[in-house]
């Protein structure tokens, strides 16, 4: 995939929303996913025709939970557009809620890691960083829960994130102590050096790969706006 | 089962408030076994140390290589203390600096001069600059995955760098002479130095010894192309041969850098070089606030003397062999395919088929519960303070840990 310069921020935001919607869809909470389509240099469509943002507006939507979509697209595809808006609002509701539960945490983890894979897929610096790890698979989980989020290099030659079961064994595992620690992590309040040392997370396996994923995730957290 | 680490944890919590990450770098808990190895150490002697919670450990990391003769070595400490009473840092160096330079220049067969600093990184970075100054060429070649220090041209981290930091650094896989030659062709007359460790001792991977012809060929291509051969002997120095690791592998570098074991725990590093680099060495600025530390220099002087007098490199190679063979024997008994890669004095343990390291991590975790300081992804170090009785005890405890590992895996 080609390097897309500064637009990587809106790409990461868009793919994170798509990932969150996928998680909700797989949990049967919404009727469909919000598939991302970049229509031209400036416009991104979420969930088919209807919900379409200028890229800068999308970033605002992600940060504040609301921004005006492109009205023309919405008018001409009203039903689909409104449905997509409702899904977006559902994601926002879950992620901005004070309640800490598996739904919120897996949504946050999956969308955050998808932001990292976007950086790894589109930015040459991060792509190079992960080049030697294409055979590896990281499993993120939370102790005593069923949450499993996998990060791997797919047969389509891109880094991907998936939830639930997976066909391969992990080469690295990262296990949060509990939902509350994982919730801190998705809100950018996890000390990657201190956390594992105080038992907030257990890391095993091939740590250099995890180290790099962690670094990229922190770059995403710094640069990509978030509701959290 | 993990040993009690309440005090260690409390200290660490305090540290998190005032030190980013609590403990950083290669000793950051997250780089090892975060909740199984101790975070803070109270005191150490010989091959054992006590953590702040009062647990006694048999050590196999030797301060990540800084300890060669054993912790708190009485003769070295006494000699250093004599100097400490006189003072350590002055406006000018103390006489011991000249003595130490003479000692090293004598002991390292190719060396005509020596300079000192505090850390290995200070001088690996300086050495590549000396080579650049001499050759007036920009590029440096290193082996992929080799560690040469904390500077931006070679550190293993990711942050705080710009592309230019590494734009003149080229890499080839260890032992891959074809790749090295291709690089030299592509960058003809532009390469100033090749910097290499004596063998490949990357973390998170088994160590790789040089092939039979590796060093002679590297030496040849350097000579043929006017490239400075820099030996980074920071980690291995003193552990294969008392006269420098090049003697063990039978080649001659143009510059070599030492640090870890040089002062047996006192902070000092040295770079020795051939006469033809003396002028270039004078052009590359070199200094540090506490680099003329007479206490560390005294310790290094004594440490070198002991290494020479007692054939310490040979001794730890023999002890390491005894230990590695013992470890492999108990592994075999437990049906575990253990390999102790690298030289015997600095073995890197790995289980066959355990590329993801889960098994070695579990083993080291169980061993930690028995007071064995085994690192899961860094080479271990044998010091001359390890006695056969210490090694036997460690092997015995490791045997128990392997039994538990097998039980756990079967359960
Ligand atoms: C081979 C090698 N070179 C250089 C260095 C850097 O030395 P220091 O940590 O003293 O700066 C190290 C440290 O581990 C090393 O192992």
């Amino acid at each position: 995939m080609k390097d897309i310069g500064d637009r990587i921020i809106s790409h990461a935001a868009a793919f994170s929303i798509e990932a969150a919607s996928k998680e909700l869809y797989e949990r049967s909470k919404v009727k469909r996913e919000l598939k991302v389509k970049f229509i031209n240099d400036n416009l991104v469509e979420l969930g088919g025709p209807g919900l379409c943002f200028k890229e800068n507006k999308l970033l605002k939507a992600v940060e504040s939970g609301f921004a005006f979509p492109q009205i023309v697209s919405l008018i001409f595809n009203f039903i689909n557009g409104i449905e997509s808006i409702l899904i977006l609002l559902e994601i926002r509701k879950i992620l901005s809620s004070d309640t800490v539960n598996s739904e919120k945490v897996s949504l946050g983890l999956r969308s955050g890691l998808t932001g990292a894979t976007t950086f790894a897929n589109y930015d040459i610096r991060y792509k190079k960083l992960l080049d030697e790890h294409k055979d590896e698979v990281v499993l993120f989980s939370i102790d005593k829960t069923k949450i499993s989020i996998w990060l791997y290099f797919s047969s389509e030659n891109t880094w991907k994130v998936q939830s639930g079961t997976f066909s391969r064994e992990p080469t690295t595992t990262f296990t949060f102590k509990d939902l509350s620690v994982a919730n801190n992590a998705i809100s950018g309040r996890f000390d990657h050096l201190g956390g594992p040392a105080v038992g907030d997370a257990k890391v095993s396996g091939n740590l250099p790969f995890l180290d790099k994923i962690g670094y990229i995730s922190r770059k995403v957290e710094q640069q990509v706006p978030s509701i959290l | 089962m993990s040993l009690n680490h309440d005090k260690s944890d409390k200290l660490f919590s305090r540290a998190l408030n005032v030190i980013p990450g609590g403990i950083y770098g290669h000793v950051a808990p997250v780089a090892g076994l975060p909740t199984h190895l101790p975070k803070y150490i109270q005191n150490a002697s010989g091959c054992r140390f006590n953590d702040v919670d009062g647990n006694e450990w048999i050590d196999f990391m030797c301060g990540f290589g800084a300890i060669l003769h054993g912790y708190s070595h009485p003769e070295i400490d006494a000699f250093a203390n004599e100097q400490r009473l006189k003072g350590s840092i002055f406006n000018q160096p103390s006489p011991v600096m000249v003595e130490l330079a003479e000692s090293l220049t004598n002991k390292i067969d190719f060396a005509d001069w020596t300079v000192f600093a505090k850390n290995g990184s200070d001088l690996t970075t300086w050495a590549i600059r000396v080579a650049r100054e001499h050759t007036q060429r920009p590029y440096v070649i290193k082996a992929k995955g080799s560690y040469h220090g904390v500077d931006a041209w070679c550190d293993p981290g990711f942050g705080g760098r710009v592309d230019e930091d590494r734009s003149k650094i080229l890499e080839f896989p260890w032992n891959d002479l074809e790749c090295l030659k291709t690089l030299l062709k592509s960058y003809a007359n532009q390469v100033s130095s090749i910097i290499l460790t004596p063998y490949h001792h990357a973390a998170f991977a088994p160590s790789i010894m040089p092939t039979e012809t590796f060093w002679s060929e590297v030496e040849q291509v350097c000579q043929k192309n006017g490239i400075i051969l820099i030996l980074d002997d920071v980690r291995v120095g003193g552990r294969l041969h008392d006269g420098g690791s090049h003697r063990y592998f039978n080649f001659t570098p143009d510059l070599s850098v030492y640090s870890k074991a040089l002062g047996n725990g006192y902070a000092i590093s040295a770079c020795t070089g051939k006469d033809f680099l003396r002028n270039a060495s004078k052009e590359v600025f070199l200094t540090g606030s506490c680099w003329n530390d007479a206490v560390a220099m005294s310790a290094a002087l004594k440490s070198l003397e002991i290494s020479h007098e007692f054939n310490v490199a040979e001794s730890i190679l023999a002890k390491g062999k005894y230990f590695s063979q013992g470890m492999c024997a108990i592994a075999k008994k437990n049906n575990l395919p253990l390999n102790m890669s690298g030289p015997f004095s600095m073995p890197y343990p790995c289980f066959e088929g355990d590329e993801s390291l889960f098994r070695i991590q579990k083993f080291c975790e169980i061993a930690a519960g028995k007071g064995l300081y085994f690192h899961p992804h860094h080479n271990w170090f044998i010091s001359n303070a390890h006695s056969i009785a210490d090694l036997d005890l460690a092997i015995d405890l490791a045997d128990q840990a392997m039994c538990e590992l097998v039980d756990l895996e079967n359960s």
Side-chain angles (χ1 to χ4, degrees):
Chain A
M1 275 177 200
K2 65 173 198 266
D3 198 312
I4 51 173
D6 286 350
R7 294 182 57 224
I8 194 151
I9 307 293
S10 51
H11 274 57
F15 286 121
S16 295
I17 292 172
E18 180 181 289
S21 72
K22 252 187 194 156
E23 184 66 28
L24 278 188
Y25 174 66
E26 285 163 17
R27 287 169 170 266
S28 308
K29 281 295 176 107
V30 291
K31 276 199 266 171
R32 57 178 170 80
E33 301 167 16
L34 294 181
K35 277 243 170 264
V36 169
K37 190 171 165 197
F38 287 91
I39 298 174
N40 60 35
D41 271 6
N42 257 321
L43 290 175
V44 54
E45 188 180 271
L46 292 172
L51 182 57
C52 188
F53 288 103
K54 284 219 161 97
E55 287 185 22
N56 59 350
K57 286 272 168 52
L58 174 75
L59 295 178
K60 191 168 171 250
V62 170
E63 197 164 28
S64 61
F66 184 76
F68 279 107
Q70 295 295 101
I71 295 297
V72 176
S73 174
L74 186 61
I75 288 171
F76 282 104
N77 307 279
F78 194 69
I79 295 182
N80 194 58
I82 291 295
E83 243 178 48
S84 298
I85 289 176
L86 290 176
I87 296 173
L88 196 59
L89 290 174
E90 180 67 14
I91 293 171
R92 184 197 156 202
K93 191 178 101 194
I94 294 168
L95 285 180
S96 57
S97 133
D98 289 337
T99 315
V100 177
N101 56 25
S102 353
E103 190 176 69
K104 178 185 177 189
V105 167
S106 37
L107 219 71
L109 262 183
R110 186 165 176 177
S111 63
L113 287 168
T114 300
T117 54
T118 310
F119 273 35
N121 288 329
Y122 289 98
D123 185 318
I124 190 73
R125 278 171 303 172
Y126 302 119
K127 195 190 260 238
K128 267 205 247 164
L129 212 53
L130 297 190
D131 254 357
E132 60 184 298
H133 299 286
K134 288 181 176 166
D135 293 335
E136 295 173 38
V137 177
V138 200
L139 166 61
F140 293 87
S141 58
I142 294 145
D143 209 15
K144 299 191 188 82
T145 75
K146 288 194 180 129
I147 298 173
S148 308
I149 315 258
W150 305 79
L151 192 154
Y152 62 99
F153 194 70
S154 73
S155 51
E156 292 133 60
N157 278 336
T158 54
W159 290 98
K160 279 210 164 141
V161 176
Q162 178 180 316
S163 204
T165 53
F166 192 60
S167 54
R168 281 157 60 192
E169 288 292 311
T171 54
T172 312
T173 58
F174 186 104
T175 313
F176 290 105
K177 186 176 81 175
D178 53 33
L179 283 171
S180 147
V181 173
N183 184 58
N184 285 343
I186 61 172
S187 337
R189 286 178 280 124
F190 181 78
D191 180 339
H192 66 283
L193 287 177
V198 297
D200 278 349
K202 191 167 165 28
V203 291
S204 348
N206 191 341
L207 304 188
F209 181 35
L210 190 61
D211 219 15
K212 292 176 189 175
I213 300 291
Y215 179 69
I216 300 173
S217 302
R218 293 190 291 280
K219 294 301 107 189
V220 170
E221 201 180 284
Q222 255 175 24
Q223 295 172 33
V224 182
S226 150
I227 295 176
L228 286 159
Chain B
M1 199 191 73
S2 176
L3 299 174
N4 172 35
H5 41 71
D6 291 352
K7 278 192 187 165
S8 201
D9 289 349
K10 278 192 189 121
L11 267 175
F12 189 73
S13 296
R14 279 168 55 196
L16 282 173
N17 291 327
V18 287
I19 301 169
I23 303 174
Y24 40 82
H26 64 298
V27 294
V30 73
L33 296 170
T35 54
H36 291 82
L37 295 176
K39 298 182 182 71
Y40 296 96
I41 291 172
Q42 193 73 53
N43 58 286
S45 170
C47 67
R48 284 159 206 257
F49 68 83
N50 291 293
D51 64 29
V52 289
D53 288 282
N55 304 303
E56 188 184 74
W57 296 76
I58 307 181
D59 182 38
F60 285 89
M61 286 308 288
C62 297
F64 283 77
I67 302 298
L68 174 64
H69 306 294
Y71 293 104
S72 310
H73 190 277
E75 253 184 282
I76 296 172
D77 284 357
F79 200 69
N81 274 337
E82 254 177 58
Q83 180 62 49
R84 202 191 316 273
L85 293 174
K86 295 182 210 159
S88 54
I89 306 289
F90 311 110
N91 296 342
Q92 293 299 122
S94 66
V96 68
M97 181 174 182
V98 184
E99 282 178 62
L100 182 59
E102 283 170 351
S103 169
L104 264 172
T105 307
N106 274 333
K107 287 186 172 77
I108 307 298
D109 57 358
F110 71 87
D112 295 306
W113 52 263
T114 304
V115 296
F116 300 103
K118 277 282 161 201
N119 297 296
S121 313
D122 301 334
L123 291 178
T124 49
T125 296
W126 183 77
I128 64 168
R129 292 181 61 202
V130 170
R132 281 177 172 153
E133 177 61 23
H134 177 79
T135 58
Q136 295 294 303
R137 297 172 184 173
Y139 284 91
V140 174
I141 298 184
K142 68 184 277 286
K144 197 167 162 32
S146 285
Y147 182 64
H148 297 293
V150 294
D151 292 319
W153 66 271
C154 60
D155 82 296
F158 321 111
R161 279 205 307 257
V162 292
D163 289 346
E164 288 73 25
D165 289 330
R166 293 190 179 187
S167 62
K168 298 288 184 279
I169 306 295
L170 309 169
E171 293 189 321
F172 73 104
W174 179 266
N175 272 342
D176 189 343
L177 289 163
E178 280 320 302
C179 181
L180 173 63
K181 287 175 189 168
T182 308
L183 278 180
L184 290 175
K185 235 186 231 160
S186 313
Y187 293 86
N189 298 319
Q190 295 180 75
V191 177
S192 57
S193 65
I194 299 179
I195 182 165
L196 294 169
T197 52
Y199 71 94
H200 195 51
H201 48 58
F204 295 98
S207 296
I208 311 173
M209 296 302 262
T211 56
E212 216 160 283
T213 56
F214 179 75
W215 276 117
S216 60
E217 292 213 35
V218 170
E219 216 176 351
Q220 263 175 35
V221 294
C222 284
Q223 272 163 17
K224 194 172 131 208
N225 295 285
I227 293 166
I228 305 302
L229 177 54
I230 304 171
L231 174 64
D232 175 353
D233 216 357
V234 168
R235 194 183 308 179
V236 189
R239 294 194 145 88
L240 294 181
H241 194 292
D242 298 332
S245 305
H246 61 285
R247 301 277 295 277
Y248 187 84
F249 292 113
N250 201 20
F251 69 98
T252 308
D254 300 308
L255 292 168
S256 62
V257 183
Y258 306 93
S259 182
K260 287 184 180 283
L262 182 60
N264 200 56
Y266 290 80
I268 185 162
S269 57
C271 178
T272 63
K274 286 184 179 169
D275 204 38
F276 77 94
L277 290 168
R278 194 185 290 263
N279 284 341
S281 81
K282 288 189 272 187
E283 301 294 353
V284 185
F285 194 64
L286 178 68
T287 195
S289 299
C290 294
W291 285 13
N292 297 323
D293 174 2
V295 173
M297 288 183 179
S298 300
L301 193 63
K302 186 47 96 182
S303 175
L304 283 172
E305 194 185 304
I306 295 171
S307 282
H308 205 64
E309 197 178 327
F310 296 98
N311 282 329
V312 167
E314 250 176 58
S315 165
I316 58 172
L317 278 163
K319 288 178 184 184
K321 186 171 182 184
Y322 179 84
F323 176 64
S324 284
Q325 288 177 342
M327 289 291 287
C328 289
I330 54 163
K332 196 166 173 200
K333 192 189 84 186
N334 286 291
N335 276 327
L336 292 168
L338 180 72
N339 266 329
M340 299 291 267
S341 67
F344 291 125
S345 50
M346 329 176 31
Y348 179 99
C350 51
F351 291 114
E352 268 166 40
D354 184 38
E355 283 73 22
S356 300
L357 307 167
F358 290 119
R359 200 176 215 183
I360 192 76
Q361 286 163 352
K362 198 64 190 167
F363 167 63
C364 293
E365 206 176 286
I366 300 171
K370 302 179 185 310
L372 289 173
Y373 196 101
F374 285 169
H375 200 290
H377 4 80
H378 190 288
N379 70 270
W380 300 354
F381 295 91
I382 306 293
S383 79
N384 207 27
H386 284 93
S387 67
I388 294 298
D390 293 321
L391 298 177
D392 280 340
L393 176 59
I395 292 167
D396 194 35
L397 292 168
D399 188 11
Q400 294 172 28
M402 284 183 197
C403 283
E404 284 178 35
L405 176 69
V406 171
D407 284 350
L408 191 76
E409 287 180 348
N410 290 337
S411 68

